[in-house]
Amino acid sequence: MVHSDSSSFVRVGGMQLSSETKHCQQHGGYTAYSHKPGIWSACEKCLQASDAQQRQASIQQQRQAQQAALWQKRLGRAAIPARFAERSLQNYRPTCAAAGQALRTCQAYAQEFDAVLKTGRSLIFCGSVGTGKTHLAVGIARHIMETGKQAVMSSVLKAVRRIKESYRRDSPHTEAELIQEFVEPDLLILDEVGVQFGSETEKMLLFDIINGRYEVMKPSILISNLGLAELERYIGIRAMDRLREGGGKAVVFDWESYRRVV
């Protein structure tokens, strides 16, 4: 609130202004000016504070817009299928004790991801169809992306097709460059491992991705509907050993279909 103390007249640029000493509750006395009866200039310090608040609000809005843009970019690169876009560790509902343990394993993995990055510790999700393997993997991906890390998800078939694009004569990329696309992310999720019991070329390229990430200690999550022994036969002992190194763990999903219950 502003109170008047005394008034006088001043001339500014040929214009006669009334001046008056007023009192601001926040900043004390100040000189106010008026060129129309009843309309006085406000406290200069209040105006400066208001301008500073507006600038701060504008900066905050810009930061939020930048963060939103970065999130959308990160999410786009992650290539999470639309069906699973809203899956998270928070909305996974365990249907049995084993599912609850799988959730806790994934929560710990996500929360300790900075330590995971130091060792390249991987996870293998294998077992029954519809038990929540992809839900939990996407949940881990979303959690680490919220902390500024990058996750990428792909089926093995899509990854192999992408790398095979380098075989075209007009391809602008080499095979090594396209493999590097899958080596680079902080976390790679490879889904549908062994679905087609693929060709030797598919298995070789899958090994190149796993081995490339192993060499730079980048963690991977493999998702398969095969049993653990079948999966090892499919990807090979060398690839399995690389996934197990550094504390890598297999989580077997052998309970009733998650989709039928949830």
Side-chain angles (χ1 to χ4, degrees), residues 11 19 87 136 151 161 167 196-197 203-204 215 219 254:
R11 188 169 291 278
S19 68
R87 306 295 169 88
L136 287 174
R161 283 176 177 168
Y167 300 167
Q196 288 87 16
F197 287 92
K203 293 178 183 179
M204 179 190 70
E215 289 179 347
D254 56 0

Side-chain angles (χ1 to χ4, degrees), residues 62-73:
Q62 290 175 3
R63 285 176 181 166
Q64 289 173 347
Q66 289 171 349
Q67 289 170 354
L70 281 172
W71 171 253
Q72 288 303 318
K73 183 178 179 181

Side-chain angles (χ1 to χ4, degrees), residues 10 16 62-64 90 142 182 185 197 199 207 211 219 248:
V10 295
Q16 182 171 290
Q62 290 175 3
R63 285 176 181 166
Q64 289 173 347
Q90 288 72 31
R142 289 186 66 90
F182 296 98
F197 287 92
S199 66
F207 176 79
N211 187 60

Side-chain angles (χ1 to χ4, degrees), residues 61-258:
Q61 287 176 350
Q62 290 175 3
R63 285 176 181 166
Q64 289 173 347
Q66 289 171 349
Q67 289 170 354
L70 281 172
W71 171 253
Q72 288 303 318
K73 183 178 179 181
R74 206 172 287 137
L75 198 59
R77 191 180 173 205
I80 295 170
R83 182 176 296 276
F84 300 100
E86 299 305 318
R87 306 295 169 88
S88 69
L89 297 176
Q90 288 72 31
N91 61 28
Y92 179 85
R93 298 291 176 263
T95 58
C96 62
Q101 181 57 49
L103 173 60
R104 288 189 290 276
T105 296
C106 293
Q107 288 170 330
Y109 188 85
Q111 290 162 6
E112 299 164 3
F113 196 72
D114 284 340
V116 167
L117 280 174
K118 293 178 181 178
T119 61
R121 176 160 50 98
S122 295
L123 288 176
I124 300 168
F125 294 168
C126 61
S128 307
V129 174
T131 47
K133 299 187 295 294
T134 303
H135 184 144
L136 287 174
V138 170
I140 292 172
R142 289 186 66 90
H143 180 95
I144 71 155
M145 287 194 295
E146 287 168 1
T147 67
K149 307 295 191 301
Q150 181 63 61
V152 168
M153 184 174 187
S154 175
S155 69
V156 171
L157 185 58
K158 285 182 180 178
V160 169
R161 283 176 177 168
R162 173 65 177 151
I163 296 168
K164 282 184 174 180
E165 289 177 9
S166 67
Y167 300 167
R168 299 196 324 261
R169 286 187 177 182
D170 61 345
S171 174
H173 303 289
T174 65
E175 181 182 272
E177 287 171 340
L178 295 182
I179 289 174
Q180 184 61 27
E181 287 185 5
F182 296 98
V183 172
E184 186 180 63
D186 298 303
L187 176 67
L188 177 67
I189 301 171
L190 285 171
D191 198 3
E192 299 180 349
V193 181
V195 167
Q196 288 87 16
F197 287 92
S199 66
E200 288 306 310
T201 299
E202 178 179 309
K203 293 178 183 179
M204 179 190 70
L205 292 175
L206 177 58
F207 176 79
D208 286 343
I209 293 170
I210 293 171
N211 187 60
R213 294 184 63 79
Y214 165 80
E215 289 179 347
V216 294
M217 297 202 303
K218 293 283 186 73
S220 305
I221 298 177
L222 265 65
I223 305 173
S224 178
N225 294 334
L226 301 176
L228 194 56
E230 290 176 288
L231 179 62
E232 182 169 314
R233 283 195 293 273
Y234 175 76
I235 67 174
I237 294 173
R238 287 193 304 158
M240 186 65 83
D241 284 346
R242 282 156 174 72
L243 292 168
R244 284 174 170 153
E245 194 160 325
K249 180 182 290 189
V251 182
V252 179
F253 291 65
D254 56 0
W255 49 87
E256 184 181 356
S257 173
Y258 182 69

